[in-house]
Amino acid sequence: MKYLSFSSLLFIFLCYHHFGDHAVQAQPNITGYTCTPNQTTYPCQTYAFYRAAAPDFLDLASIADLFSVSRRLIAEPSNISSPSSPLIPNQPLFVPLTCGCNTLNASNIISFANLSVRIKSGDTFYHVSTVYFQNLTTYQSVEIVNPTIVPTKLEVGDIVYFPIFCKCPNQTQLQNQVNYLVSYVLQPSDNLSSVASTFGAQTQDIIDVNGNNSQPFDTIFVPVARLPQLTQPAVAPSVPPGPGNTERRGVNTGLAIGLAICGVLLLLIGGMLIYREFSSKRRRKMEIECEKQKLQYNKRGNGLKDMEVNLMADVSDCLDKYRLFKIEDLREATDGFSQDFLIQGSVYKGSINGEVYAIKMMKWNACEELKILQKVNHGNLVRLEGFCIDPEDGNCYLIYEYIENGSLHSWLHENRNGKLNWTTRLRIAVDVANGLQYIHEHTQPRVVHKDIKSSNILLDSNMRAKIANFGLAKSGCNAITMHIVGTQGYIAPEYLADGVVSTKMDIFSFGVVLLELISGKEAINEEDGKVLWASVDGILEGSEERKVRRVKEWMDGVLLQDSCSMESVMSVMSIAIACLHRDPSKRPSMVDIVYALSKSDELFFDISEDGSSPRQVIAR
Ligand SMILES: *[C@@H]1O[C@H](CO)[C@@H](O)[C@H](O)[C@H]1NC(C)=O
Ligand SMILES: *[C@@H]1O[C@H](CO)[C@@H](O)[C@H](O)[C@H]1NC(C)=O
Ligand SMILES: *[C@@H]1O[C@H](CO)[C@@H](O)[C@H](O)[C@H]1NC(C)=O
Ligand SMILES: *[C@@H]1O[C@H](CO)[C@@H](O)[C@H](O)[C@H]1NC(C)=O
Ligand SMILES: *[C@@H]1O[C@H](CO)[C@@H](O)[C@H](O)[C@H]1NC(C)=O
Ligand SMILES: *[C@@H]1O[C@H](CO)[C@@H](O)[C@H](O)[C@H]1NC(C)=O
Ligand SMILES: *[C@@H]1O[C@H](CO)[C@@H](O)[C@H](O)[C@H]1NC(C)=O
Ligand SMILES: *[C@@H]1O[C@H](CO)[C@@H](O)[C@H](O)[C@H]1NC(C)=O
Ligand SMILES: *[C@@H]1O[C@H](CO)[C@@H](O)[C@H](O)[C@H]1NC(C)=O
């Protein structure tokens, strides 16, 4: 670390020294591009040019996950009409970035989009930078941005922040109609004039911004007034070798895994209990344990060998990713699970080695939640950190990241923290929608949360929302259940009537949460037991004037005093009403909702602007 820091300083020094006479171009491009923190145009919305690539990035979903944006936000600027269609290698895309000027310390002030990546097996700083992000960042810069992580000791499941290089135009450039500086990685086959013609820019303008000494695989910034229209391949390959074919198999295996995994977990847990006795060479032992089980499984034959291998991969992956906590540590952290540490239900707050966690006590029914959580990884879902089995009573504990600001329910209805303003509420809606879109669209098989409600939506220190409590969640396709679970006031009518489980039931519950955000009222009225969603019947009928009047009467008075935009409220209201359609097939999908919410919100691009303190989020 010391050596690296010194060499980067040296590098910066050399750069300044060497290119000192043309100040603009003199940017250390290995560790990042410098910026002026005073420049008022930061942060800004910008784009990176990205090429679809085999094997992992041939669909918008995986690229969208990598960059933590929705598929629509890539499809639109890239001139792709259907976000779900497969891509071909090298297909050009524009990926949106939120670009900020970050003061890492006095000598490192660089502009980048801060993207988090959960490390998978085999990932290194270099591999993720050069392959996943295609040299839009460098491992040297990643090291600077993650000073506490030792690159040679990366573990599966670690969260690493990758600084994706970007720049915001300054005032002068904006006046000259340069609205974006698009991040572009120079290819060996490029020259500046070919890049200029691709983007409809002037070569000299590119040189003015980047200097004339750019090397292949350097990130350069192409100044443009608007994004050029990309010409996409007319027909995507008819039968994509990847997703299309494997989809069905994926679902089947998924279901099979679903059925078998609980059993295997039991076995593994048994194994763990045994292996806990031998303390030191944990990992090694675990591998042996897994091998043994694999053998046992394979002996049974049944032609299911493939599936079992997958299954083992799945489970050992899960064990790799999560920490095994000791029951003694949990006891100590919560003072023997005392009431003082209870957050709600069976969830306790406890700190272990200085880290604060939420600890959920469960009986043996932890399987389903574990199974689902190991599949999901998204900024708007509460992250599982590890688990623990108490060898004495067989209780299972799931340990989650602790979310500082508590539930949306308490902010909206318990009135202890002051009232949220409209911008914050809208931002929360977008966050929840993004989280739901992820579990509905990007997991295989799809996950249905089944219990979306304001008390399962938690707010972090920046008032960004995360979905919690996958205790009732189901993965798999449409299914019918016999015993109805969920929460009164949020349950979709068709589920109540027929037990039909589908993503559309989450959409309904999300509609109720939107109503709560707009009205500040509870989903079910404590006094008369009436559900909130019934109170909006016909509210959007009649003339424009009448609609606005009725919504104004119905909505949270605090918002009116805060003079929020009625247009924005009306548009969220109409999304809520669409979600609450009695016929599940008429409800919009989460993709549509995310799109509509971000459209309805002219603030959308400000959303990632960081550091909003709790005071700013409260209505005055
Ligand atoms: C800034 O950060 C670099 C790399 O992390 C480090 O080497 C350097 O000492 C820091 N400079 C100051 C002034 O803290
Ligand atoms: C940036 O702002 C600080 C104070 O806010 C000021 O001292 C400094 O001179 C400014 N730098 C530039 C380049 O404008
Ligand atoms: C990147 O984002 C994470 C989480 O939002 C934050 O903790 C971290 O400080 C950010 N890094 C920088 C350099 O802004
Ligand atoms: C990134 O740069 C390295 C050389 O620095 C090169 O070998 C690699 O092919 C580049 N990756 C991509 C995706 O262009
Ligand atoms: C740039 O590349 C194009 C082909 O890609 C070529 O026709 C052109 O001559 C090159 N220009 C320069 C200045 O090298
Ligand atoms: C804006 O950026 C351009 C190009 O990098 C530079 O020439 C110009 O001096 C900058 N203007 C201001 C006000 O910083
Ligand atoms: C690059 O810039 C330097 C200094 O501005 C100049 O001397 C040189 O001729 C330029 N090279 C090209 C190829 O334009
Ligand atoms: C950084 O940019 C300079 C020109 O501005 C170039 O000479 C140098 O090779 C670049 N370094 C890397 C690692 O790309
Ligand atoms: C957008 O893509 C279509 C093909 O998907 C193409 O026909 C059309 O020309 C593209 N638009 C522009 C402006 O290039």
Side-chain angles (χ1 to χ4, degrees), residues 62 387 550:
S62 52
F387 61 99
R550 290 203 52 190

Side-chain angles (χ1 to χ4, degrees), residues 368-369 371-376 381 435-450 452 469-477 501-506:
E368 193 73 17
E369 187 158 1
K371 183 182 100 196
I372 285 170
L373 281 167
Q374 66 163 311
K375 287 204 177 83
V376 302
L381 308 177
L436 278 176
Q437 182 192 8
Y438 174 84
I439 64 168
H440 287 178
E441 303 279 330
H442 299 177
T443 55
Q444 195 58 268
R446 291 174 172 211
V447 171
V448 181
H449 185 283
K450 290 184 75 182
I452 291 296
N469 199 353
F470 282 73
L472 300 180
K474 275 268 173 288
S475 61
C477 341
V501 177
S502 78
T503 52
K504 297 293 186 185
M505 67 183 284
D506 283 348

Side-chain angles (χ1 to χ4, degrees), residues 573-588:
M573 190 71 194
S574 64
I575 298 170
I577 300 286
C579 292
L580 297 170
H581 207 291
R582 296 296 157 86
D583 178 353
S585 66
K586 298 240 168 75
R587 291 176 205 148

